[in-house]
Structures are given as structure tokens and as C-alpha cells.
Amino acid sequence: MQFIGMLLSFFQLSLAIYNVWPQRMRLRAFLALYALLLLAGMPVTFLGCIPYGLFGILVAVCIYGLVTCRDTASRNICMGMLGCVLGVVTDNLLVVLRDMLISPALSGQPYAAFTIWLLRMLLFYAITLLCGRLLRKILLPGKGILRLSQTWYLIDAALLLLITIYLFDNLIPGQGGSIGRLIYNNALHISGYLLVMLFLLLAMRCSWLEKIQTEAKQKALQDLQDYAHNLEAMYDSLRSFKHDYVNILLSMSGYMENCDMDGLKKFFEDKIFPTKRLIDQGDYKLNQLGNIGVLEIKSLVSAKMIYAHESGIDVTIDIPDRVDGFAMDTVDLARILGIFLDNAIEAASEAKQPQIGFHIMRNADSVSILISNRFLENGQALHRLNQKGFSTKSGHQGIGLSNAMKIIGSYDNVLLETAMRDGCFIQHMEIAAG
């Protein structure tokens, strides 16, 4: 009978959390939550350690919230703890209401007891469902500071701290016990505060990541503005060239009218043919950048390539197929490409024949990005380039490539191959489809 009571009690608690949960909980997820609560609630049922068991249930709900969906973990934890509190409060209120309205004699009859229990379950479900919808309507729209995940982690820490203080300062002291229980009590105290610190650290981490993403987006916007500015400059150059082209044709017409073919030939070789070199130098092949469908990446690459050309570096861009997306976070990809291109431009500018190449190839199930540049060989070992703190440039901290490697290491579908061949440094990154 005690075992059945335990099953029903934790089913009620799971039902309360289900009604408060931020997103739709499927049957498999509900059963996993129910099993986890049963496991955590063993001390309550079989050992009589009510406060310790309640704390274990609370920890189980926090773990479930963290594991279930990492994108909304902070909200899951908060709503899960609120669901626990709501379930306990609602059940206690219904028990008090039952004792007030129904006599013990009637409650002792089997059929009446089953009917009372069924009504109690229906009322419990209705109350928790109504309160859950109200809580979701108030807390989940994501307005103001509630749209930030670090705010939710701070709320989680505060809730956990308040519940922990209530359990261990109000329930446990009145129970007394041995030195072993006192040690156990202190251990649980420390565990509770460590969980609070964990949530605070998670809030700080979210804040730091948001700052990094904001800076990366600002950098991408600046690259986009540089891209637009360079396009305007190129358009002005093209318009000026069209004007000069008309003048060149008019000057050639004078030689043709006088049938001065020798003069025309000399004029062509001295004045017109040299413009081919200038036209070739100004051809950045930016039209191929139109095959990049991600605006942030397109603006970043174009700004870097235009800067490389203006620095006197021979630029080659090869993107034969259109690429509409990459199977990784755009901010992370922009940070990696920014580091690789900055290093390539700086190294190429020191080479005897400054050259840099940027290639994107779309494969069946992946996208290949290849950045190559000429460099001045100084005998540095390839394996040292990615080490933090190592740099071939004086006055630099050497953290760029190590940061890029750290970002790449966080993705299971991204591979990087680095090579040096014939005075050319090559970074080949393969992004497999997610």
C-alpha cells in the first residue's frame, strides 16, 4: 500500500511539473521525469528522510531541466521548481479541504474513498493546469529582462536558495538526530549552495557569450558597411572609366581619319594597352561573392579581399557554386574566417610575391573553405602556429589561431587541415552537413 501511495504521489508531482513546463512535453519525456522523481524520492518513502528527500527531488528536477533542452535550460529549471512548489501546495490545500468537508467515517468506506480520491485528482489537475497556464503567460513571453537567459539563471539560483533555506532551517532542525545526520545535513547544505553558484556561473557565461556575439555582429555590420563603401568606389571608378573610354575612342578616331596607322599603333601600345594591367588589377572577381548566400560571411570576405587588394596583394576568389548556408553558427564562422584572413593578409604582405586565395566549394554533404597565401619562410614549425601565446609577429599575443582552433574544436562536424607547400600556407576547413 505504501508503494502504491508513493507511485500516486510522484505521479501527481510529475503532473504538476508537466502543467507548468515551458514547452510541450511528450509522453516519453513525461515518463522519464516520473522515473527520475521516483528514484530521487526513495529517501522520502522508505527511509523517512522527508527534508533530505525533498531536496533530492528538487535536485532531480534541476538536472532534468538542464538535460532535456539545453537551449531553454534556464527556463526549464525555473518552471520545474515552480511546478514542484505548486504541486506540494495544491496537494496540501486539497487535503485540508477534504478533512474539513468530509467526515472520517465516510472516508473510510472503500467506494467513497475511491470517489474522493478521484475528485481530488481531477481538482489537482485542474488547479495545476490553470496555474501553470497563468505562470507561463506571465513569465514566458520574454519581455524586458526575462528575454535574457542569465536573468532566468539568477531566478533559478534565488529559488533554489530560498527553498534550500526553508528545508534545512525550518524542517530539519526540529527532527534532531545523530552526528552522522548532522554531517549529512551539512553536506546537503553545501550541495545546495554549490548548485546556486553553478546557476550564477551559468548566468555569467551566458552574459559573456552574448557580449561576444554582440561584438561579432557589430564587426559584421562594419564589414558590411566597408563592403558597401567599396562597391560605391568601384562604381565611381567604372563610371570614370566609361568617360575616359569615350575620350580614348575620340582620340583614336583622329588617327583613323588621317590614315596614320603607325601613329595609331604607337598610341595603342603606349596609351591603351597599359590600361589592361590596371583593369586586370581592379578585377577582384567580386561577382563570385554573390554565390555566398549568407550576408554576414559575404560582407566579411569582401571587405577583407578588397583590403588585401588595396594593400598590393594579388587576390584570387573562386566560388563556382552558390552556398546558401553553413552547418555552424554564423558568428563562430565569421570569427574563424576573420582570424584566418587577417593572418593570411599580414603574412602575404611580407612575401616576395604577395598572393592570397579564397575558395569555397560545395560538395554533396559538406562545404569546403580553403584560404591560401604566400608567406616569408622563417623556419617556424607548423604545429606551433596553433599554440596559444605563440606568434611569428613581434608585439602580438598569438591568441588568434588558438581561439579559432578552440571554436572549431567545439563542433563535431568541422575539420581543419593546415599545410605548407612550396612557400604557400593553406588552411582547409571542411564543414559537414549537420
Side-chain angles (χ1 to χ4, degrees), residues 219-229 295 299-300 302-303:
K219 183 67 169 57
L221 179 60
Q222 182 62 44
D223 290 335
L224 181 60
Q225 292 174 349
D226 294 341
Y227 175 52
H229 175 73
L295 182 59
S299 61
L300 170 71
S302 62

Side-chain angles (χ1 to χ4, degrees), residues 55 58 62 66 73-79 81-82 149-166 191-204:
F55 181 76
L58 195 65
C62 293
L66 281 171
S74 55
R75 297 187 180 188
N76 295 343
I77 295 168
C78 179
M79 301 304 284
M81 286 192 288
L82 289 177
S149 58
Q150 53 263 40
T151 302
W152 284 93
Y153 277 121
L154 291 175
I155 295 174
D156 295 342
L159 275 175
L160 185 62
L161 186 60
L162 289 174
I163 297 173
T164 303
I165 290 173
Y166 174 78
S191 300
Y193 293 131
L194 285 177
L195 279 174
V196 172
M197 291 303 300
L198 172 64
F199 293 142
L200 293 176
L201 290 175
L202 287 173
M204 294 174 61

Side-chain angles (χ1 to χ4, degrees), residues 219-221 223-225 227-228 231 289-303 322-326 330 334:
K219 183 67 169 57
L221 179 60
D223 290 335
L224 181 60
Q225 292 174 349
Y227 175 52
L231 284 180
L289 290 177
N291 288 332
I292 303 178
V294 182
L295 182 59
E296 300 94 319
I297 305 303
K298 181 195 297 183
S299 61
L300 170 71
V301 175
S302 62
R322 181 168 179 82
V323 180
D324 292 318
F326 301 90
T330 306

Side-chain angles (χ1 to χ4, degrees), residues 2 42-53 175 181:
Q2 183 184 15
M42 291 297 180
V44 177
T45 306
F46 298 109
L47 303 179
C49 302
I50 295 178
Y52 307 115
Q175 291 192 356
R181 174 165 289 192

Side-chain angles (χ1 to χ4, degrees), residues 79 130-143 146:
M79 301 304 284
L130 180 63
C131 292
R133 289 181 177 178
L134 183 62
L135 287 171
R136 288 198 298 269
K137 187 175 182 179
I138 295 173
L139 298 176
L140 296 184
K143 297 180 180 179
L146 289 178

Side-chain angles (χ1 to χ4, degrees), residues 108-127:
Q109 298 179 7
Y111 293 106
F114 176 77
T115 303
I116 293 170
W117 175 83
L118 185 60
L119 290 174
R120 179 180 157 193
M121 284 293 297
L122 292 174
L123 285 174
F124 180 88
Y125 179 78
I127 293 173

